[in-house]
Amino acid sequence: MSLKSVVTGARLCVAPLRQAAAARLSTSARHGVSYSPVPKPLQGKMKLFQTDNGLPVHVRGGPLDKMLYAITAVVCTVGLIECFHVYYVLSYTAKKD
């Protein structure tokens, strides 16, 4: 028997053992984890945002969410316009006399 065949045989035997050990470690690690309870106000918000009521997520919070969404859209639009304005100014500089 050559050394190469012995090494190949050992690798074939060790690979399933490594996979089994990794599976045992990953499942046993989950059992020891304990999480703190979710506060009541957060539970209410979770129910509100996870129910399927036909509204997009960004407006489920009511009028405040609608206002914040509108302000964000306006700020992004103004920023995009200003970005193109800067490109225009940098591309077409004023002629020097």
Side-chain angles (χ1 to χ4, degrees):
M1 261 192 190
S2 70
L3 181 62
K4 187 175 184 179
S5 64
V6 171
V7 169
T8 304
R11 285 185 181 163
L12 290 174
C13 293
V14 170
L17 294 174
R18 283 187 180 167
Q19 290 174 352
R24 271 185 277 143
L25 284 176
S26 64
T27 56
S28 64
R30 286 188 220 143
H31 294 297
V33 176
S34 61
Y35 298 103
S36 61
V38 179
K40 295 289 182 190
L42 185 57
Q43 284 180 357
K45 287 200 180 273
M46 288 169 67
K47 285 181 184 178
L48 172 71
F49 286 100
Q50 290 177 356
T51 56
D52 187 20
N53 57 1
L55 292 173
V57 175
H58 62 271
V59 294
R60 287 187 186 181
L64 180 63
D65 277 355
K66 290 180 184 179
M67 185 180 66
L68 289 173
Y69 177 74
I71 290 171
T72 304
V74 168
V75 167
C76 289
T77 304
V78 169
L80 187 64
I81 291 169
E82 285 297 318
C83 180
F84 286 121
H85 176 72
V86 167
Y87 292 155
Y88 179 79
V89 169
L90 291 174
S91 297
Y92 302 104
T93 58
K95 293 182 182 180
K96 293 182 181 178
D97 291 329

